[in-house]
Amino acid sequence: MAYGADARELYEALTWHEGPDPYATVVGPWLDRARGGYRRWLAGAAEDSSWWAEGATGPEPGGQELLWELYALSRVSDQLLLGFDASGPTPSPHAYLDLFACLGMTPFDSGGAFDPFLHEIVEVEQTPDPYAPIEAVEVLRPGLMLGQLLFARAGVRIRAGAEHAQCGVADRSPLYWTFRRANRPTVDLSQGWGSNSQWRTDFRLDYRTPAGDRLNVAGDRPIDGNPELHPDHPANLGPEERLLTPGERRELLRHRCLLRAPEAAEALAGSPGWERELMPFDWRLRRLPDAETDPSGS
Protein backbone atom coordinates (compact mmCIF):
# COMPACT_ATOMS: atom_id res chain seq x y z
CA MET A 1 0.00 0.00 0.00
CA ALA A 2 1.68 3.21 -1.20
CA TYR A 3 1.80 6.04 1.32
CA GLY A 4 -1.04 4.63 3.43
CA ALA A 5 -3.62 4.26 0.63
CA ASP A 6 -4.07 2.63 -2.73
CA ALA A 7 -6.70 2.97 -5.42
CA ARG A 8 -7.45 -0.73 -5.72
CA GLU A 9 -8.61 -0.71 -2.11
CA LEU A 10 -10.90 2.25 -2.87
CA TYR A 11 -12.28 0.66 -6.03
CA GLU A 12 -13.12 -2.60 -4.28
CA ALA A 13 -14.76 -0.74 -1.39
CA LEU A 14 -16.92 1.18 -3.88
CA THR A 15 -18.02 -1.98 -5.68
CA TRP A 16 -19.01 -3.59 -2.37
CA HIS A 17 -20.75 -0.48 -1.04
CA GLU A 18 -24.52 -0.58 -0.62
CA GLY A 19 -26.39 2.68 -0.34
CA PRO A 20 -27.07 5.85 -2.31
CA ASP A 21 -23.91 7.81 -1.59
CA PRO A 22 -20.56 6.18 -0.78
CA TYR A 23 -18.69 9.44 -0.28
CA ALA A 24 -19.00 9.81 3.48
CA THR A 25 -18.49 6.14 4.33
CA VAL A 26 -15.96 5.07 1.67
CA VAL A 27 -14.31 7.95 -0.18
CA GLY A 28 -13.85 10.36 2.72
CA PRO A 29 -11.96 7.97 5.02
CA TRP A 30 -9.81 6.79 2.12
CA LEU A 31 -8.92 10.40 1.26
CA ASP A 32 -7.85 11.03 4.82
CA ARG A 33 -5.14 8.38 4.31
CA ALA A 34 -4.26 9.51 0.78
CA ARG A 35 -3.30 13.10 1.50
CA GLY A 36 0.31 14.16 1.75
CA GLY A 37 2.73 11.54 0.45
CA TYR A 38 0.22 9.82 -1.82
CA ARG A 39 -0.69 13.08 -3.56
CA ARG A 40 2.98 13.99 -3.98
CA TRP A 41 3.62 10.55 -5.49
CA LEU A 42 0.86 11.04 -8.09
CA ALA A 43 2.30 14.47 -8.95
CA GLY A 44 5.39 12.69 -10.29
CA ALA A 45 3.32 11.80 -13.38
CA ALA A 46 2.13 15.35 -14.06
CA GLU A 47 4.80 16.30 -16.62
CA ASP A 48 5.91 14.61 -19.81
CA SER A 49 9.22 12.96 -19.02
CA SER A 50 10.59 9.46 -18.74
CA TRP A 51 9.34 8.93 -15.19
CA TRP A 52 7.47 5.73 -16.17
CA ALA A 53 10.78 4.03 -16.99
CA GLU A 54 12.40 4.86 -13.66
CA GLY A 55 12.98 2.06 -11.18
CA ALA A 56 12.28 2.07 -7.48
CA THR A 57 14.70 3.93 -5.23
CA GLY A 58 15.04 2.34 -1.83
CA PRO A 59 11.60 2.10 -0.21
CA GLU A 60 10.09 4.48 -2.77
CA PRO A 61 7.94 2.86 -5.51
CA GLY A 62 9.14 3.30 -9.08
CA GLY A 63 7.54 4.43 -12.31
CA GLN A 64 5.93 1.07 -13.06
CA GLU A 65 4.10 1.10 -9.74
CA LEU A 66 2.83 4.61 -10.49
CA LEU A 67 1.51 3.47 -13.89
CA TRP A 68 -0.40 0.71 -12.12
CA GLU A 69 -1.71 3.08 -9.47
CA LEU A 70 -2.97 5.56 -12.08
CA TYR A 71 -4.73 2.69 -13.82
CA ALA A 72 -6.39 1.68 -10.54
CA LEU A 73 -7.48 5.29 -10.01
CA SER A 74 -8.99 5.27 -13.51
CA ARG A 75 -11.05 2.25 -12.43
CA VAL A 76 -12.29 4.29 -9.46
CA SER A 77 -13.29 7.06 -11.86
CA ASP A 78 -15.05 4.58 -14.16
CA GLN A 79 -17.02 3.17 -11.24
CA LEU A 80 -18.14 6.59 -10.07
CA LEU A 81 -18.97 7.76 -13.59
CA LEU A 82 -21.63 5.05 -13.83
CA GLY A 83 -23.74 7.32 -11.66
CA PHE A 84 -23.64 10.05 -14.29
CA ASP A 85 -25.57 7.60 -16.48
CA ALA A 86 -28.00 6.74 -13.65
CA SER A 87 -26.79 3.16 -13.55
CA GLY A 88 -24.87 3.01 -10.31
CA PRO A 89 -24.49 4.72 -6.92
CA THR A 90 -22.21 7.70 -6.91
CA PRO A 91 -21.55 10.82 -4.93
CA SER A 92 -22.79 14.06 -6.41
CA PRO A 93 -20.80 15.53 -9.32
CA HIS A 94 -19.31 17.97 -6.83
CA ALA A 95 -18.14 15.10 -4.61
CA TYR A 96 -16.69 13.24 -7.62
CA LEU A 97 -14.63 16.29 -8.57
CA ASP A 98 -13.68 16.93 -4.95
CA LEU A 99 -12.17 13.44 -4.68
CA PHE A 100 -9.82 13.98 -7.58
CA ALA A 101 -9.13 17.63 -6.77
CA CYS A 102 -7.88 16.44 -3.38
CA LEU A 103 -5.44 14.24 -5.30
CA GLY A 104 -4.07 17.22 -7.24
CA MET A 105 -6.20 17.02 -10.38
CA THR A 106 -7.91 19.91 -12.18
CA PRO A 107 -11.43 19.46 -13.58
CA PHE A 108 -12.48 20.85 -16.94
CA ASP A 109 -15.68 20.81 -18.95
CA SER A 110 -14.12 22.12 -22.18
CA GLY A 111 -17.35 23.29 -23.74
CA GLY A 112 -15.70 24.78 -26.83
CA ALA A 113 -14.78 23.16 -30.13
CA PHE A 114 -14.63 19.37 -30.25
CA ASP A 115 -11.19 18.11 -29.28
CA PRO A 116 -10.50 14.33 -29.29
CA PHE A 117 -7.74 14.83 -26.75
CA LEU A 118 -10.23 16.26 -24.26
CA HIS A 119 -13.55 14.78 -25.38
CA GLU A 120 -15.01 11.29 -25.24
CA ILE A 121 -18.02 10.86 -27.53
CA VAL A 122 -21.03 9.67 -25.54
CA GLU A 123 -23.89 10.46 -27.90
CA VAL A 124 -24.06 11.31 -31.62
CA GLU A 125 -26.67 13.46 -33.29
CA GLN A 126 -26.46 12.76 -37.03
CA THR A 127 -26.79 15.78 -39.31
CA PRO A 128 -28.46 15.64 -42.74
CA ASP A 129 -25.22 16.89 -44.29
CA PRO A 130 -22.85 13.87 -44.26
CA TYR A 131 -19.81 16.17 -44.45
CA ALA A 132 -20.69 18.36 -41.46
CA PRO A 133 -17.65 18.38 -39.11
CA ILE A 134 -17.85 17.15 -35.54
CA GLU A 135 -19.27 19.74 -33.16
CA ALA A 136 -19.51 19.37 -29.39
CA VAL A 137 -23.02 20.48 -28.39
CA GLU A 138 -23.21 19.48 -24.71
CA VAL A 139 -20.81 18.41 -21.98
CA LEU A 140 -22.39 15.49 -20.11
CA ARG A 141 -19.66 14.92 -17.55
CA PRO A 142 -16.40 16.69 -16.67
CA GLY A 143 -12.84 15.71 -17.50
CA LEU A 144 -9.73 15.75 -15.32
CA MET A 145 -6.09 16.76 -15.85
CA LEU A 146 -3.12 16.00 -13.61
CA GLY A 147 -0.80 18.80 -14.65
CA GLN A 148 -0.03 18.11 -18.32
CA LEU A 149 -1.34 14.54 -18.06
CA LEU A 150 -4.84 13.72 -19.24
CA PHE A 151 -6.50 11.58 -16.57
CA ALA A 152 -10.09 11.45 -17.86
CA ARG A 153 -11.75 12.98 -20.90
CA ALA A 154 -14.97 14.97 -20.64
CA GLY A 155 -18.00 13.09 -21.96
CA VAL A 156 -19.82 15.00 -24.70
CA ARG A 157 -22.79 14.84 -27.00
CA ILE A 158 -21.75 15.71 -30.54
CA ARG A 159 -23.42 16.67 -33.81
CA ALA A 160 -21.70 15.45 -36.98
CA GLY A 161 -22.12 14.23 -40.52
CA ALA A 162 -21.80 10.50 -41.14
CA GLU A 163 -18.54 11.01 -43.05
CA HIS A 164 -16.95 12.15 -39.80
CA ALA A 165 -18.78 10.27 -37.03
CA GLN A 166 -21.54 7.69 -37.43
CA CYS A 167 -24.31 7.27 -34.89
CA GLY A 168 -24.05 3.72 -33.56
CA VAL A 169 -20.30 3.54 -34.20
CA ALA A 170 -18.70 6.63 -32.65
CA ASP A 171 -20.91 6.28 -29.57
CA ARG A 172 -21.41 2.49 -29.39
CA SER A 173 -18.30 0.77 -30.78
CA PRO A 174 -15.84 -0.62 -28.20
CA LEU A 175 -14.04 2.06 -26.24
CA TYR A 176 -10.39 1.05 -25.79
CA TRP A 177 -8.14 1.93 -22.83
CA THR A 178 -11.31 1.90 -20.72
CA PHE A 179 -12.49 -0.60 -18.12
CA ARG A 180 -16.18 0.22 -17.91
CA ARG A 181 -18.92 2.44 -19.33
CA ALA A 182 -22.65 2.18 -18.77
CA ASN A 183 -23.85 2.17 -22.36
CA ARG A 184 -21.10 0.74 -24.55
CA PRO A 185 -18.57 -2.10 -24.65
CA THR A 186 -15.06 -1.39 -23.40
CA VAL A 187 -11.67 -3.02 -23.83
CA ASP A 188 -8.58 -2.76 -21.68
CA LEU A 189 -5.71 -5.10 -20.92
CA SER A 190 -6.99 -6.03 -17.46
CA GLN A 191 -9.98 -7.89 -18.84
CA GLY A 192 -9.72 -11.66 -18.74
CA TRP A 193 -7.04 -11.73 -16.04
CA GLY A 194 -7.33 -12.92 -12.45
CA SER A 195 -8.17 -10.91 -9.38
CA ASN A 196 -4.54 -9.88 -8.80
CA SER A 197 -3.04 -9.93 -12.29
CA GLN A 198 -5.61 -7.48 -13.67
CA TRP A 199 -4.15 -4.74 -11.49
CA ARG A 200 -0.82 -4.94 -13.30
CA THR A 201 -2.26 -2.89 -16.15
CA ASP A 202 -0.57 0.29 -17.31
CA PHE A 203 -2.41 3.59 -17.47
CA ARG A 204 -2.36 5.23 -20.91
CA LEU A 205 -0.22 8.39 -20.87
CA ASP A 206 -1.39 11.34 -22.99
CA TYR A 207 0.22 14.72 -22.41
CA ARG A 208 -0.78 18.21 -23.56
CA THR A 209 2.45 20.20 -23.61
CA PRO A 210 3.50 23.61 -24.96
CA ALA A 211 5.14 21.75 -27.86
CA GLY A 212 1.92 19.87 -28.69
CA ASP A 213 -0.01 16.77 -27.72
CA ARG A 214 1.79 13.50 -27.06
CA LEU A 215 -0.34 10.36 -27.25
CA ASN A 216 0.32 7.02 -25.56
CA VAL A 217 3.88 8.07 -24.90
CA ALA A 218 4.91 4.76 -23.33
CA GLY A 219 3.87 2.85 -26.46
CA ASP A 220 6.65 1.03 -28.28
CA ARG A 221 4.97 -0.35 -31.42
CA PRO A 222 4.79 1.73 -34.64
CA ILE A 223 1.18 2.33 -35.57
CA ASP A 224 1.87 1.29 -39.18
CA GLY A 225 4.14 -1.62 -38.33
CA ASN A 226 7.31 -1.46 -40.44
CA PRO A 227 6.01 -0.76 -43.95
CA GLU A 228 9.53 -0.15 -45.28
CA LEU A 229 10.44 -3.73 -44.42
CA HIS A 230 7.05 -5.39 -44.85
CA PRO A 231 4.95 -3.31 -47.29
CA ASP A 232 2.28 -5.99 -47.79
CA HIS A 233 2.03 -7.33 -44.24
CA PRO A 234 3.18 -4.70 -41.72
CA ALA A 235 5.06 -6.32 -38.88
CA ASN A 236 3.66 -6.04 -35.34
CA LEU A 237 0.09 -5.64 -36.60
CA GLY A 238 -2.53 -8.35 -36.29
CA PRO A 239 -4.58 -9.46 -39.29
CA GLU A 240 -7.57 -7.30 -38.31
CA GLU A 241 -5.38 -4.28 -37.64
CA ARG A 242 -3.83 -4.62 -41.09
CA LEU A 243 -7.30 -4.30 -42.61
CA LEU A 244 -7.73 -0.88 -41.03
CA THR A 245 -6.46 2.00 -43.13
CA PRO A 246 -3.68 4.19 -41.68
CA GLY A 247 -6.29 6.87 -41.09
CA GLU A 248 -8.55 4.46 -39.22
CA ARG A 249 -5.67 3.34 -37.01
CA ARG A 250 -4.88 6.95 -36.16
CA GLU A 251 -8.54 7.57 -35.48
CA LEU A 252 -8.60 4.66 -33.05
CA LEU A 253 -5.50 5.95 -31.25
CA ARG A 254 -6.79 9.52 -30.99
CA HIS A 255 -10.43 8.83 -30.16
CA ARG A 256 -9.92 5.45 -28.43
CA CYS A 257 -12.64 4.07 -30.67
CA LEU A 258 -13.59 3.96 -34.33
CA LEU A 259 -15.83 6.74 -35.57
CA ARG A 260 -17.18 5.11 -38.73
CA ALA A 261 -17.57 1.63 -40.14
CA PRO A 262 -14.14 0.65 -41.55
CA GLU A 263 -13.59 0.61 -45.28
CA ALA A 264 -12.81 -3.11 -44.99
CA ALA A 265 -16.01 -3.86 -43.03
CA GLU A 266 -16.95 -6.73 -45.35
CA ALA A 267 -13.57 -8.44 -44.95
CA LEU A 268 -13.59 -7.84 -41.19
CA ALA A 269 -17.03 -9.44 -40.93
CA GLY A 270 -15.27 -12.76 -41.52
CA SER A 271 -13.64 -12.38 -38.08
CA PRO A 272 -16.52 -12.41 -35.55
CA GLY A 273 -15.85 -10.12 -32.63
CA TRP A 274 -13.03 -8.30 -34.39
CA GLU A 275 -14.17 -5.00 -32.86
CA ARG A 276 -12.94 -6.21 -29.45
CA GLU A 277 -9.83 -8.00 -30.70
CA LEU A 278 -7.75 -5.05 -31.88
CA MET A 279 -4.55 -4.43 -29.92
CA PRO A 280 -3.71 -0.72 -30.15
CA PHE A 281 -2.42 -0.47 -26.59
CA ASP A 282 1.26 -0.13 -27.53
CA TRP A 283 0.82 1.90 -30.70
CA ARG A 284 3.28 4.71 -31.12
CA LEU A 285 2.50 7.51 -33.55
CA ARG A 286 5.48 9.00 -35.33
CA ARG A 287 5.48 12.77 -35.61
CA LEU A 288 3.48 13.99 -38.61
CA PRO A 289 2.95 17.39 -40.21
CA ASP A 290 -0.05 19.12 -38.65
CA ALA A 291 -2.20 18.56 -41.73
CA GLU A 292 -1.72 14.80 -41.43
CA THR A 293 -2.20 14.47 -37.70
CA ASP A 294 -5.94 13.77 -37.79
CA PRO A 295 -7.08 12.12 -41.04
CA SER A 296 -10.65 11.86 -39.68
CA GLY A 297 -11.04 15.60 -40.14
CA SER A 298 -11.92 16.07 -36.51
Side-chain angles (χ1 to χ4, degrees), residues 9 14 19 27 44-46 49 67 79 83 98 103 117-118 152 173 175 177 210 237 246 265 269 275 298:
E9 173 194 53
L14 288 169
V27 177
S49 67
L67 278 176
Q79 181 70 17
D98 182 66
L103 299 178
F117 185 94
L118 299 175
S173 64
L175 190 65
W177 289 279
L237 294 181
E275 298 96 333
S298 57

Side-chain angles (χ1 to χ4, degrees), residues 54-71:
E54 296 174 358
T57 304
E60 301 296 321
Q64 181 62 73
E65 286 75 14
L66 184 49
L67 278 176
W68 294 337
E69 188 66 16
L70 287 166
Y71 170 75

Side-chain angles (χ1 to χ4, degrees), residues 82 85-87 122-123 171-173 180-185:
L82 295 177
D85 298 304
S87 59
V122 177
E123 299 177 13
D171 53 354
R172 292 296 179 266
S173 64
R180 191 174 184 188
R181 288 291 182 270
N183 298 312
R184 71 187 300 174

Side-chain angles (χ1 to χ4, degrees), residues 9-77:
E9 173 194 53
L10 177 57
Y11 173 82
E12 291 176 342
L14 288 169
T15 60
W16 297 331
H17 175 78
E18 295 182 359
D21 187 348
Y23 190 82
T25 57
V26 176
V27 177
W30 183 89
L31 266 179
D32 288 340
R33 299 193 303 275
R35 300 176 192 274
Y38 184 86
R39 174 171 169 157
R40 288 193 296 273
W41 182 42
L42 294 181
E47 293 188 8
D48 181 20
S49 67
S50 59
W51 63 264
W52 57 85
E54 296 174 358
T57 304
E60 301 296 321
Q64 181 62 73
E65 286 75 14
L66 184 49
L67 278 176
W68 294 337
E69 188 66 16
L70 287 166
Y71 170 75
L73 270 180
S74 77
R75 292 267 293 261
V76 171
S77 176

Side-chain angles (χ1 to χ4, degrees), residues 27-253:
V27 177
W30 183 89
L31 266 179
D32 288 340
R33 299 193 303 275
R35 300 176 192 274
Y38 184 86
R39 174 171 169 157
R40 288 193 296 273
W41 182 42
L42 294 181
E47 293 188 8
D48 181 20
S49 67
S50 59
W51 63 264
W52 57 85
E54 296 174 358
T57 304
E60 301 296 321
Q64 181 62 73
E65 286 75 14
L66 184 49
L67 278 176
W68 294 337
E69 188 66 16
L70 287 166
Y71 170 75
L73 270 180
S74 77
R75 292 267 293 261
V76 171
S77 176
D78 285 358
Q79 181 70 17
L80 294 174
L81 287 178
L82 295 177
F84 283 81
D85 298 304
S87 59
T90 187
S92 67
H94 173 78
Y96 168 83
L97 295 177
D98 182 66
L99 162 61
F100 291 102
C102 287
L103 299 178
M105 299 186 193
T106 303
F108 65 89
D109 60 22
S110 189
F114 178 76
D115 182 342
F117 185 94
L118 299 175
H119 291 150
E120 176 185 312
I121 297 172
V122 177
E123 299 177 13
V124 176
E125 176 186 335
Q126 207 79 82
T127 65
D129 177 5
Y131 296 99
I134 298 175
E135 175 189 2
V137 296
E138 183 181 0
V139 178
L140 303 176
R141 50 178 165 77
L144 292 161
M145 296 289 294
L146 177 63
Q148 297 178 339
L149 175 66
L150 174 69
F151 178 75
R153 294 184 297 171
V156 297
R157 177 182 295 115
I158 66 164
R159 181 183 298 117
E163 290 295 318
H164 290 296
Q166 290 177 348
C167 181
V169 179
D171 53 354
R172 292 296 179 266
S173 64
L175 190 65
Y176 282 77
W177 289 279
T178 306
F179 179 73
R180 191 174 184 188
R181 288 291 182 270
N183 298 312
R184 71 187 300 174
T186 58
V187 183
D188 79 8
L189 288 176
S190 77
Q191 295 166 357
W193 290 92
S195 58
N196 288 320
S197 299
Q198 63 181 287
W199 297 101
R200 295 299 183 258
T201 300
D202 290 351
F203 181 74
R204 170 171 159 161
L205 300 176
D206 290 357
Y207 284 94
R208 174 150 284 182
T209 76
D213 294 345
R214 297 241 297 143
L215 305 181
N216 201 27
V217 298
D220 60 3
R221 187 162 61 108
I223 195 170
D224 297 320
N226 294 305
E228 295 83 2
L229 300 176
H230 305 276
D232 297 324
H233 299 285
N236 300 322
L237 294 181
E240 291 82 12
E241 295 163 5
R242 294 170 189 163
L243 289 173
L244 298 179
T245 67
E248 289 166 349
R249 289 195 291 270
R250 283 159 177 74
E251 182 176 279
L252 178 57
L253 180 63

